[in-house]
Amino acid sequence: MDVWSIIGWGGSALVVWSLLQTRILRLRVLNLIGCVILVGFNAVVGVWPMVGMNAVLAVINVVHLWRLLRHRHDDAEYQVLPVNSADAYLGYVLQRHEKDITRFNPGFTLAASPYAFLVQHGDRTVGVVLAHDAGTGRAQIDLDYVVPKYRDFTPGEFVYRRSDVFTDQGFHQVIAPPRMRDSTPYLKNLGFHREGEDLVLNL
């Protein structure tokens, strides 16, 4: 197999692999790279219909990436909705994603979390934050969950930094759960800092 055949098969494999991704941003990036590779490969071998198709797909991916990244931190695109911890829809969301939640949050139970917030992107629920009162004006986060498609967009920032849902309850500080202490890039981007054994965010 010559070099160009390897490149062609590699580009095709990358396009197929991109379609298996659960994260929408990763899907678009990988699909774009695969399409660009296939544009070059098909141009070399002279298969012009495939050049045209992959060029169009590459442009579509660029447009979608631009839209995704443009609204990544847009307050108008995300809303935070306080809900009752016994809310039926909250229960449905948690049950719907139970396996994924348990994978990253072993031992999690809803019973200890009287404060519950849904993160909405349009009519789609993309995240859930649950917390309880840790005393002295501090909220202890019990669950910070984002559905796989939106994990590259850190919608948690709209709960902690761009809404008043915690300060409206009288909290002035948020404490990250122990299992999230290894997620320091995510937490640091949100403004969490270390105080003793805890990672905390001043509101």
Side-chain angles (χ1 to χ4, degrees), residues 143-162:
L143 178 68
D144 181 341
Y145 176 73
V146 179
V147 299
K149 285 186 178 181
Y150 285 82
R151 284 190 186 148
D152 294 317
F153 297 92
T154 61
E157 72 174 283
F158 296 95
V159 178
Y160 305 120
R161 304 302 299 174
R162 297 173 180 250

Side-chain angles (χ1 to χ4, degrees), residues 97-116:
H97 299 282
E98 181 179 10
K99 185 179 292 186
D100 198 35
I101 290 173
T102 302
R103 176 186 172 194
F104 295 102
N105 303 273
F108 164 75
T109 59
L110 176 61
S113 307
Y115 300 98

Side-chain angles (χ1 to χ4, degrees), residues 16 22 36 43 45 50 58 62 90-91 108 114 127-128 153 170 183:
V16 172
T22 55
V36 170
V45 298
M50 295 301 292
V62 168
L90 171 64
F108 164 75
V128 177
F153 297 92
S183 306

Side-chain angles (χ1 to χ4, degrees), residues 109-128:
T109 59
L110 176 61
S113 307
Y115 300 98
F117 311 100
L118 298 176
V119 184
Q120 299 291 129
H121 184 229
D123 60 356
R124 181 176 301 173
T125 301
V126 300
V128 177

Side-chain angles (χ1 to χ4, degrees), residues 81-95 110 113-114 116-118 120 125 130:
L81 305 179
V83 296
N84 190 292
S85 60
D87 183 86
Y89 180 68
L90 171 64
Y92 166 77
V93 172
L94 294 175
Q95 184 179 31
L110 176 61
S113 307
F117 311 100
L118 298 176
Q120 299 291 129
T125 301
L130 303 175

Side-chain angles (χ1 to χ4, degrees), residues 48-61:
W48 301 109
M50 295 301 292
V51 170
M53 183 189 76
N54 282 287
V56 170
L57 291 175
V59 171
I60 291 172
N61 280 310

